[in-house]
């Protein structure tokens, strides 16, 4: 009878555990694009998450439980993101979500996340709507486009004495473009400066001759190219073709190798606002360690596919591991959220500025860094240390 009672109690305890917590493993979900152009983001992130999974499990797991990572493809479509999340919750029974695709995708997933009270870490694209108002279980790692552009522009203008420049922006006419323009406007306002030209373009545009001509006619000597990959490369080539001698700055979606490959010599000296250093900066301890682990666990081709999104993914994974470890063997979603909220100055050995969360604080890692394109080496180089996010 005693043995039966113990077994019954154990079964009841197991049944009462939060989804995704088993005796031997913790099931973690991720929603990221794996096909099409956005796969540059998703595949690079998943590579880092797989490296982390293999490394944690090689070290014995977390309090004896292995990490079981389940990745769902969303084709970078918000509706598909919601479907992917629901599958992870209803079918895979995940404990938490590490990776929530793009900005609008997380917004679309928010009601499902709230309804299930599932912990979620966003590291791919951070927007104000993700943390204003703060969501209890959603933690955002990294700066918004507005924050990074604001910080880097103020640094550039003051450190290089560019106050006498004529400033212009070419931006996409959607939420992404609005956030980029937000940082541009904030920086100029803070420094008492004005814009000579603000030119928008339709999402999916291929020809930027009219937009570049407009900023040239405005006399621009500083141009914020608010594109992504092909858009930025095309703008840079048009600027070069027009013989414009201007300072060129881009937000972090252009911090990808294809921009240099597509733009060629037109990308020389391009400045970028980001909040992680280049993936090739292996002298930075955290990046060097990631590269070493990647070569240990993955193929050479997979390692080559890593980029800045591998770095943000690894920081998020390390933060999750720290919080899971702090909860001990008695792991619950409530404890995980509590430990994430209590994060103070979490370090990633130089990959990002230290992370701090708190009650109603659901975004961290906002200190930007300035990068510069070097076409000869085909790489981006660090052009500053982490800057102020004020």
């Amino acid at each position: 009878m005693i043995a039966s009672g113990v077994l019954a109690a154990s079964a009841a305890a197991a049944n009462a555990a939060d989804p995704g917590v088993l005796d031997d493993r913790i099931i973690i979900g991720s929603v990221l694009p794996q096909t099409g152009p956005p796969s540059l983001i998703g595949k690079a992130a998943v590579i880092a998450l797989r490296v982390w999974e293999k490394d944690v499990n090689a070290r014995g797991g977390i309090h004896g439980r292995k990490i079981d990572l389940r990745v769902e493809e969303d084709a970078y479509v918000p509706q598909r993101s919601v479907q992917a999340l629901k599958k992870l919750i209803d079918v895979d029974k995940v404990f938490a979500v590490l990776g929530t695709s793009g900005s609008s995708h997380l917004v679309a997933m928010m009601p499902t996340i709230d309804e299930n009270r599932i912990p979620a870490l966003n590291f791919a694209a951070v927007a104000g709507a993700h943390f204003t108002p703060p969501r209890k279980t959603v933690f955002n790692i990294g700066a918004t486009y507005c924050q990074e552009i604001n910080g880097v522009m103020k640094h550039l203008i003051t450190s290089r004495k560019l106050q006498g420049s004529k400033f212009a922006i070419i931006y996409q006419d959607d939420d992404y473009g609005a956030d980029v323009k937000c940082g541009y406007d904030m920086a100029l306002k803070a420094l008492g400066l004005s814009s000579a030209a603000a030119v928008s373009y339709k999402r999916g545009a291929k020809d930027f001759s009219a937009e570049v001509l407009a900023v040239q006619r405005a006399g621009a000597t500083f141009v914020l190219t608010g594109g992504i990959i092909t858009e930025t490369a095309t703008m840079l080539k048009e600027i070069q073709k027009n013989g414009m001698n201007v300072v060129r700055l881009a937000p972090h979606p252009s911090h990808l190798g294809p921009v240099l490959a597509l733009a060629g010599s037109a990308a020389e000296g391009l400045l970028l606002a980001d909040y992680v250093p280049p993936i090739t900066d292996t002298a930075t301890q955290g990046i060097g360690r990631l590269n070493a682990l990647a070569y240990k666990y993955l193929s050479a081709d997979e390692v080559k596919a890593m980029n800045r999104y591998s770095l943000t993914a690894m920081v998020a994974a390390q933060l999750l591991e720290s919080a899971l470890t702090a909860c001990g063997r008695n792991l619950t979603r409530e404890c995980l959220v509590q430990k994430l909220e209590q994060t103070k100055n979490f370090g990633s050995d130089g990959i990002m500025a230290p992370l701090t969360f708190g009650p109603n604080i659901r975004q961290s890692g906002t200190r930007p860094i300035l990068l510069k394109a070097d076409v000869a080496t085909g790489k981006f180089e660090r052009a500053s240390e982490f800057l102020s996010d004020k």
Side-chain angles (χ1 to χ4, degrees):
M1 292 294 293
I2 294 175
S4 298
V6 170
L7 289 173
S10 298
N15 291 334
D18 282 342
V21 179
L22 290 80
D23 283 344
D24 61 342
R25 65 188 187 278
I26 305 166
I27 305 174
I28 304 295
S30 189
V31 178
L32 290 163
Q34 298 296 289
T35 57
S39 67
L40 276 171
I41 298 170
K43 285 185 176 180
V46 170
I47 286 170
L49 296 183
R50 291 297 184 196
V51 168
W52 169 73
E53 176 189 30
K54 290 175 183 293
D55 183 53
V56 171
N57 293 343
R59 290 186 271 115
I62 297 175
H63 296 295
R65 293 187 176 106
K66 300 293 182 72
I67 294 295
D68 182 355
L69 182 67
R70 312 287 179 90
V71 178
E72 280 296 317
E73 155 75 61
D74 69 344
Y76 220 56
V77 177
Q79 184 179 359
R80 287 279 299 276
S81 301
V82 175
Q83 293 170 352
L85 176 63
K86 288 182 176 179
K87 179 183 180 296
L88 288 172
I89 294 171
D90 297 335
V91 178
D92 294 279
K93 307 294 184 184
V94 299
F95 174 69
V97 175
L98 177 61
T100 55
S101 198
S103 176
S104 60
H105 308 73
L106 176 52
V107 171
M109 289 188 279
M110 286 290 199
T112 303
I113 291 171
D114 289 345
E115 179 184 347
N116 290 273
R117 306 176 83 176
I118 188 165
L121 279 73
N122 168 33
F123 59 77
V126 182
H130 300 156
F131 55 86
T132 308
R135 306 279 184 149
K136 179 66 176 176
T137 67
V138 179
F139 294 81
N140 300 277
I141 298 168
T144 65
Y145 303 120
C146 182
Q147 290 167 335
E148 70 181 21
I149 292 295
N150 177 42
V152 166
M153 271 192 68
K154 287 191 294 190
H155 166 75
L156 271 175
I157 293 168
T158 55
S159 66
R160 301 193 182 188
K161 298 180 171 32
L162 300 176
Q163 291 87 345
S165 300
K166 286 196 173 183
F167 300 93
I169 179 175
I170 302 174
Y171 65 100
Q172 194 162 283
D173 65 346
D174 61 3
D175 289 345
Y176 163 66
D179 208 28
V180 172
K181 188 173 183 295
C182 165
Y184 171 83
D185 291 337
M186 283 184 66
L188 293 181
K189 182 178 180 180
L191 298 174
L193 302 171
S194 60
S195 174
V199 183
S200 66
Y201 67 89
K202 294 291 183 184
R203 184 174 182 172
K206 306 295 184 186
D207 183 351
F208 292 91
S209 56
E211 289 81 2
V212 170
L213 183 60
V215 300
Q216 184 177 29
R217 286 176 173 168
T221 56
F222 184 115
V223 180
L224 175 55
T225 56
I228 301 177
I229 299 174
T230 57
E231 299 90 347
T232 297
T234 306
M235 289 181 208
L236 294 174
K237 291 171 81 171
E238 195 69 28
I239 288 171
Q240 181 186 56
K241 186 180 79 173
N242 288 12
M244 298 172 64
N245 182 22
V246 296
V247 175
R248 296 146 301 145
L249 174 67
H252 78 250
S254 296
H255 179 192
L256 294 169
V259 172
L260 298 184
L262 290 168
S265 62
E268 181 60 39
L270 171 69
L271 300 170
L272 292 118
D274 207 332
Y275 46 89
V276 293
I279 188 72
T280 53
D281 185 11
T282 53
T284 294
Q285 187 175 354
I287 299 175
R289 184 181 298 115
L290 171 58
N291 273 270
L293 289 172
Y295 277 109
K296 177 180 179 180
Y297 293 117
L298 305 175
S299 70
D301 285 343
E302 287 175 307
V303 176
K304 287 179 183 177
M306 294 199 305
N307 58 41
R308 70 166 304 281
Y309 293 97
S310 305
L311 298 180
T312 60
M314 181 55 80
V315 173
Q318 291 172 341
L319 175 63
L320 176 62
E321 179 184 349
S322 176
L324 290 170
T325 302
C327 283
R329 184 73 183 173
N330 187 23
L331 181 61
T332 64
R333 287 174 173 171
E334 182 180 1
C335 176
L336 179 61
V337 169
Q338 181 186 65
K339 297 303 182 184
L340 288 170
E341 184 177 88
Q342 292 172 351
T343 299
K344 303 293 182 189
N345 294 316
F346 178 83
S348 54
D349 291 324
I351 300 179
M352 287 181 67
L355 304 176
T356 294
F357 295 99
N360 295 322
I361 299 174
R362 290 298 185 268
Q363 183 205 20
S364 191
T366 57
R367 289 179 60 188
I369 186 171
L370 178 67
L371 310 178
K372 184 177 181 179
D374 185 335
V375 172
T377 62
K379 298 177 181 179
F380 297 95
E381 305 291 345
R382 184 195 291 259
S384 80
E385 296 305 315
F386 288 103
L387 305 170
S388 172
D389 57 359
K390 302 303 181 185

